[in-house]
Structure formats: C-alpha cells, structure tokens
Amino acid sequence: MQKLLLLGDEAIAQGAIDAGLSGIYAYPGTPSTEITEYVMHSKEAKSGKVVASWGANEKTAMEAALGMSYAGKRAMVCMKHVGLNVAADAFVNSAITGANGGLVVVAADDPSMHSSQNEQDSRFYGKFALIPILEPGNQQEAYDMVHYGFDLSEKYGIPVMLRITTRLAHSRSGVALKESRVQNEIRLPENLRQFILLPANARRQYKHLLTNQAAFISASGASPFNKLTDHKDKSIGIIACGLAYNYLVENFPGHEVPHPVLRIGQYPLPEKMVRDLYDSCDSLLVLEDGYPLVEELIRGFLNNGKPVRGRLDGTVPRDGELNPNIVARALGLADTRGRDIPAIVSSRPPSLCKGCPHIYSYNALNEALASLSKGRVFSDIGCYTLGALEPFDAINSCVDMGASITMAKGAADAGLVPAVAVIGDSTFTHSGMTGLLDAVISKSPITVMILDNATTAMTGGQNSAAVGKIEDICLAIGVEKEHIRILNPLQKHHEENLRIMMEEIAYPGVSVVIPRRECIQTAARRLREEKKKQETSKAEA
C-alpha cells in the first residue's frame, strides 16, 4: 500500500483524484488554497484531464461544480469559511436541487482567526442547508472521507460538506492511499426538472430533502467516522468532534481515556449514540473547534438535568481553537501549558514586502488626503489591507470581499465627501464590480483605487481574473474614460501620481485610479523561472 506524507489539504486533493474526480473549482483563500493547487500540479490529474480552475469568486466556483455534478461527474469545490458566505446562495439551493454526480463542498474554517476576519463555524451552514457534514480528525480521515463523501453524495443525490480547520489543513501526516477509481461517464439526471427551482418544483424537492433527513441520521449512526467507546469511569462522558479527539487523547498515557468517549466525524449527530452516552454518564463534556453547535443541540434534546459542559458554560473558552492544554484544564488535569514562547519565535505583525508597489500608492494617497480629516478611506481584503498598520495608517475599514466600493458609496451618500475605496485587482473582479456599477448608477462622488499587481498575492500568487481587463470593465460599467487613470507606483513617479490622485479625488463623480505594477514576490519568482529555463536551454544546446 502506497503511503505519502501529506498536508491535510493535500490529502483531500489526492483523495479526490483517487476517488474519480473530474473537476475542482475554487477561489483561493487560506487555509483551503493548497487543495486546488495540488490538483493543478498533479500529473495524475493532468493525465486524467481533471479540470482544475480558479473561479472569479466562491459563488461562481460553487455553481461550476454544481454544473459538473449535474452532468453526472464527480466534482469538488473549495473555499475558506468566509468564502462560503459568498457562495451561500448557490450552496443552500444546491441542497434542494440535489446532486447527480458526487459533489463535495470543502469549507476550511479558521478558529483563532490566524488569517481571517472572523472564525465562523461552517457546520452551521451545513446544518442550515440540511445536508450531511463530514469532519476529519486527521489527514488519513481527510483522505478517506473524500471517497466516502462522494459515495454518500451519489447514494442520496445530495451535496456533502467536508469541514476542516486550519490546524488540520496545514499539518502533515502519513496517508495510506486507496486504489484509484475511474471517473464517471456523463450521465444527466433521471429527472430533467430536478435542477429547476421554480416554486412548484422547489416545493417537491424541499419535501424530498426533508424526507431524507431520517436517512442522513441513520447513515450517521452507521458511519465508520462516528465511534462510541465505553470505559469504567462514568463520572463524565466526552464528545470529541473532529480534530478535538487528538487533543483529548494526548492527555492520557497510551492515549487511553478512562471515560466513555463519543468521537464525531459525521453529522447530523448520531442521536442513539449521543443518548446512550448521556444515559450512561453523570455529566457530559463537549469538545469542538468553532461554535458550540453540538453542545447547543445536546442541551436542546437532552435537557434532562445532567450537566452538559463545554464552550457555553466556560469550561472551554468561548473563542479560539482548542489545544491539548485547554482540554486538560477542562478535565481538571494538570496544566501542561509549558514555557512562554521565546521572543525570537513570537508573533510579529505582518507588513508589506520591501519594494511592494502598494507602499508608493499609500504614500501618495496619504499625501493627497493630508489636508482633509481622517477616516475616509475604505479598504478591501488583500495584502493592501496591511496599509491599516504603521507607518501608513492609510485605511479605515476591512469588512468583507468587495465591501470597499459600496462602503465608500454609502459614506458619500451620508455626506462624507470625498470618500476613497481601495481594492485589489483580483478582489475587484471577485465582488467589486457590482459595487462600482451601483456607484456609477448613483453618480456617487467617490474615487476607487484598484491596486493592480497582476496576481492574487495574499494567498500565494494565483492568477488574477482581472489581468488585462480592468480598464475595459470600468469603461463598460459606465466610468467616464477621462476619469480612468493609470499610475506607475514607484517613488520616482511620486509627484505625478500625487497630482493625478488629487485631481480625481476632487472630481465630484465616480473616478478610478489604477496603480499598476507587478507584485514584487511574483516578479521575483517569474525571473527565477525564466533564468532556470534559459540555463536549461543553454545546457541542452
């Protein structure tokens, strides 16, 4: 049996390839990005002509995966947790249309917000959509669950969510591979009206989804990923979800927990297992990364007087990711926190790269606004969000993808004029374009700076859908041609850039300023690759 050392993300990607994947769609977002990148670089995937594609945003990726499933092929769509908000319309409705070919939706959550603006729990979205959810506890389970998820999806004709967290996505372990399966042939749904959510059809499909809930619970009770283990000390029973099981067993020699343990890897919850645990123990402790989803459910349907402990009563901290020490304290065991982190490896604030073009854009913007009151620059999400930090202190918001332009419009509506929106090239095509259309329709007095570094830099330099299109898009949306201005963000052009910015900020309508220069990191990588090719060519000549 072949075994590979893989990141959790890579295990998911390899599992999908081996399980007969035909297409994977995504928008890059930490900690999910490496799943799609792995498939893009896989020789097996290329030889099997697996489609691996970055979408303009998570919604378009979700819809493309749904279309591939409609055609009978196995598809995967990947995103980080906040990306699921963008894809939510298609995602929730896909539960009602159902799937044809296996469809696995990977949502990568980020408890403790290592690189995110919130730590929402995607299990609530899966529960909200009424679909099965899988939550691996290690890299091997991540691999195995992809196979299982495609089978579950095709058995019940339903999308399946695979929920992971940062710690699992970005840590490695040996993973034993299964035998590869062939891809599905194209096969249309038996009911060609299944995917038409006109109200009459949608009502029928929704009733079908509701009817299937009992089957989903039954499947969860029989799942190899839900295990109830009995032990003598029944003063407390423990429910450990996904990765939390590892934190639990690390506290006991030989990983032998003296209490009954219910390990959860599949939802809806296996109700009989939960009830058996509750009935046999004096109290329950729930360990779960993210929100207290399981704890809330158990307090709801087993509110029979026994204590149920977890995040809600403070036994476990209400926010942040779990670790073995937090679990030890929740169990009343010795504090194993250890020594303080040495200063040399302690967290340091992120900063723009040396030579980053955004530095010169912010220098000019700050000077252009120097005579005005602060608090009128609305930013978006990307490397340029670091402009909020010293020494720039240049931006005043970071809410969600695409929010900068619409927030600037709202502020201008309120009378905060001038108002400036700062957005990156990739984020502009992700979800900024419609905001610009709103501003044009309203003739809002705002200036939009589209920082064009020709890549999706924040997540490692994936292709940007905006390359070569920004001016045409702005023109087509209705921005006046003379108010679409291109800058070269270098120090030697500072005076000219400052003059142009001041002209457009003073313009009482929608103007777009595009500072354009390649990302310093992707430029360095490109030059290295070009040099390597030249050396290879010389050696072969």
Side-chain angles (χ1 to χ4, degrees):
M1 179 185 296
Q2 188 182 10
K3 205 166 186 179
L4 298 177
L5 183 64
L6 297 173
L7 291 174
D9 278 349
E10 295 170 345
I12 291 167
Q14 186 64 50
I17 294 166
D18 292 346
L21 179 77
S22 292
I24 184 167
Y25 303 90
Y27 184 81
T30 306
S32 69
T33 309
E34 291 88 348
I35 304 171
T36 307
E37 287 191 330
Y38 185 94
V39 177
M40 285 178 165
H41 295 104
S42 165
K43 291 180 180 176
E44 295 165 83
K46 285 177 182 170
S47 67
K49 298 183 178 177
V50 176
V51 177
S53 172
W54 297 117
N57 60 38
E58 293 84 355
K59 180 174 180 285
T60 63
M62 178 71 213
E63 291 159 348
L66 188 60
M68 179 159 280
S69 170
Y70 171 90
K73 299 256 186 176
R74 296 188 187 109
M76 176 174 277
V77 56
C78 309
M79 60 202 77
K80 68 182 297 179
H81 58 305
V82 288
L84 189 53
N85 298 335
V86 179
D89 199 4
F91 170 71
V92 174
N93 286 338
S94 74
I96 301 178
T97 65
N100 187 27
L103 177 56
V104 173
V105 182
V106 182
D109 290 356
D110 189 21
S112 285
M113 294 181 263
H114 296 286
S115 61
S116 307
Q117 60 269 46
N118 71 30
E119 59 172 32
Q120 70 187 50
D121 189 329
S122 295
R123 294 178 302 168
F124 274 91
Y125 259 123
K127 182 176 180 297
F128 181 59
L130 300 172
I131 65 170
I133 307 164
L134 302 174
E135 184 181 15
N138 54 51
Q139 286 72 16
Q140 183 66 61
E141 282 192 349
Y143 176 88
D144 294 338
M145 280 182 175
V146 174
H147 289 72
Y148 180 85
F150 278 129
D151 291 343
L152 193 65
S153 175
E154 292 181 353
K155 179 178 180 179
Y156 292 105
I158 190 77
V160 171
M161 171 183 280
L162 180 66
R163 184 252 188 171
I164 61 172
T165 57
T166 304
R167 194 67 52 178
L168 184 135
H170 287 168
S171 57
R172 291 183 186 276
S173 178
V175 175
L177 306 188
K178 297 174 183 288
E179 191 172 335
S180 295
R181 302 195 304 202
V182 297
Q183 297 179 31
N184 288 350
E185 297 294 330
I186 287 180
R187 170 179 54 83
L188 296 183
E190 292 180 8
N191 173 13
L192 287 176
R193 302 181 72 83
Q194 176 184 337
F195 285 76
I196 306 172
L197 292 188
L198 285 167
N201 285 337
R203 283 192 284 268
R204 274 194 296 273
Q205 293 288 120
Y206 183 53
K207 286 183 185 298
H208 180 66
L209 176 63
L210 294 177
T211 302
N212 264 341
Q213 295 306 301
F216 297 163
I217 294 172
S218 178
S220 188
S223 171
F225 303 110
N226 290 334
K227 298 174 186 172
L228 177 58
T229 308
D230 196 20
H231 286 285
K232 288 183 180 177
D233 186 350
K234 300 183 188 305
S235 59
I236 188 169
I238 302 166
I239 296 178
C241 305
L243 203 56
Y245 179 76
N246 301 304
Y247 303 141
L248 171 66
V249 298
E250 282 189 31
N251 280 286
F252 298 95
H255 293 175
E256 293 294 329
V257 182
H259 309 284
V261 176
L262 174 55
R263 185 178 180 187
I264 298 291
Q266 182 173 339
Y267 308 80
L269 284 177
E271 291 182 3
K272 184 177 183 307
M273 288 184 183
V274 175
R275 190 170 294 281
D276 287 348
L277 181 72
Y278 182 86
D279 289 343
S280 67
C281 297
D282 298 335
S283 64
L284 291 186
L285 172 65
V286 182
L287 303 173
E288 51 190 329
D289 256 328
Y291 292 179
L293 178 143
V294 172
E295 189 181 346
E296 283 185 353
L297 289 171
I298 289 173
R299 284 171 182 262
F301 72 75
L302 287 178
N303 187 19
N304 296 323
K306 290 183 182 178
V308 177
R309 299 193 173 95
R311 290 189 183 272
L312 290 175
D313 73 342
T315 302
V316 177
R318 184 63 178 81
D319 64 328
E321 64 180 343
L322 299 177
N323 61 43
N325 189 55
I326 289 174
V327 174
R329 281 184 283 158
L331 289 165
L333 302 176
D335 193 319
T336 58
R337 179 173 174 272
R339 298 176 180 174
D340 290 336
I341 299 171
I344 195 171
V345 294
S346 62
S347 298
R348 295 179 294 276
S351 61
L352 292 173
C353 300
K354 189 176 181 181
C356 172
H358 302 336
I359 292 171
Y360 307 105
S361 298
Y362 280 135
N363 287 342
L365 178 63
N366 278 345
E367 195 169 335
L369 296 174
S371 63
L372 301 167
S373 61
K374 300 283 285 184
R376 55 183 72 241
V377 181
F378 300 88
S379 178
D380 235 288
I381 295 176
C383 290
Y384 48 89
T385 312
L386 299 173
L389 306 177
E390 297 294 340
F392 307 104
D393 191 22
I395 63 172
N396 307 105
S397 75
C398 170
V399 178
D400 61 56
M401 295 283 278
S404 60
I405 300 175
T406 33
M407 286 186 70
K409 176 188 180 304
D413 290 345
L416 186 66
V417 179
V420 178
V422 177
I423 189 169
D425 54 318
S426 182
T427 309
F428 176 64
T429 47
H430 175 285
S431 48
M433 294 187 295
T434 48
L436 183 61
L437 180 59
D438 280 352
V440 168
I441 291 170
S442 300
K443 302 185 189 315
S444 300
I446 66 170
T447 298
V448 179
M449 281 179 61
I450 304 177
L451 303 180
D452 182 9
N453 60 4
T455 188
T456 312
M458 192 71 163
T459 49
Q462 293 76 28
N463 292 338
S464 166
V467 172
K469 305 181 183 72
I470 295 177
E471 296 96 308
D472 290 343
I473 291 171
C474 294
L475 201 58
I477 283 174
V479 181
E480 297 167 25
K481 189 173 183 178
E482 59 271 29
H483 290 289
I484 301 173
R485 311 287 292 272
I486 314 298
L487 308 184
N488 186 345
L490 282 172
Q491 181 60 34
K492 64 183 180 183
H493 300 302
H494 176 77
E495 294 303 323
E496 180 186 1
N497 292 343
L498 175 61
R499 176 182 59 78
I500 293 173
M501 279 192 190
M502 294 184 74
E503 286 175 3
E504 297 308 324
I505 287 170
Y507 174 63
V510 178
S511 59
V512 173
V513 177
I514 308 171
R516 173 172 290 149
R517 190 158 69 88
E518 186 177 7
C519 166
I520 195 76
Q521 295 292 340
T522 57
R525 190 182 313 150
R526 178 176 54 77
L527 291 172
R528 283 196 302 271
E529 290 172 356
E530 288 175 0
K531 184 178 179 182
K532 189 176 178 181
K533 284 181 183 176
Q534 289 172 358
E535 290 173 350
T536 303
S537 299
K538 283 182 181 177
E540 291 175 348

